[in-house]
Amino acid sequence: MNFNLKNNIIFCSTALAVFLLFSCESNFKEVQKSNFADFVPSGEADSINIKYTDSGRIKSILISSKMLDYSSVEFPFTEFPKGVHVTLYDENGKQTFVNSKYAISFKNTNLIDLRGAVKITNETGQVFETEQLYFDQKNEWFYTEKTYKFSDPKGVSYGEGIDFSKDFKIINSQGVSGEVEKQ
């Protein structure tokens, strides 16, 4: 009789442990699903054409075939998974063109991360190319630690690490090589 009681206790304990194990597994999957469901865009747009103005003057035009807005997450951002085409205007109306295959704009820091065949051109024939470039919207300043190619009518230079103003008037490069014509 003592032997049967011992077997029943072991059997019940094992059954309870297995039951708890499977119920925890099920609960864990539900928690994973709820966390995944919370990270969805709060807004989505196709074929966008946004004009940013200040005091009645156009400052920039952003064109993208897809925009995902994550403004309801802890660190809000806007993603452009199919790339962007941006036209920046200076005070005199001169244009600078920015293209990339992917972009993400962080709302709290006003930084834009451009990735994939990033290319900047302007009306004077200057061309900047790299694989990743950051743009500080507040200071209107570009920078990267990646390798780059910079071309203008005076020559071509290559390097790794650079920062510059949106109009290319101020350029600070770290490592540079190439040929540039003297004035």
Side-chain angles (χ1 to χ4, degrees), residues 165-178:
S165 59
K166 76 173 186 177
D167 57 6
F168 293 111
K169 287 184 180 174
I170 302 170
I171 300 174
N172 302 311
S173 50
Q174 295 172 16
V176 180
S177 65

Side-chain angles (χ1 to χ4, degrees), residues 12-26:
C12 288
S13 298
T14 304
L16 181 62
V18 169
F19 174 75
L20 289 174
L21 181 64
F22 284 114
S23 67
C24 289
E25 174 70 23
S26 175

Side-chain angles (χ1 to χ4, degrees), residues 101-161:
K101 291 184 177 181
Y102 173 86
I104 186 167
S105 174
F106 300 98
K107 295 185 188 222
N108 293 343
T109 60
N110 286 323
L111 287 178
I112 299 174
D113 181 359
L114 303 159
R115 298 181 196 169
V118 180
K119 187 174 184 178
I120 301 175
T121 58
N122 65 18
E123 295 176 349
T124 62
Q126 295 173 312
V127 180
F128 179 85
E129 299 170 271
T130 187
E131 279 304 307
Q132 183 174 24
L133 185 68
Y134 296 97
F135 181 61
D136 178 346
Q137 295 178 83
K138 182 179 177 186
N139 297 310
E140 298 184 329
W141 201 260
F142 288 99
Y143 61 94
T144 187
E145 294 296 319
K146 302 287 186 185
T147 58
Y148 66 87
K149 176 182 175 185
F150 180 72
S151 310
D152 71 4
K154 298 175 191 169
V156 178
S157 61
Y158 301 88
E160 186 172 340

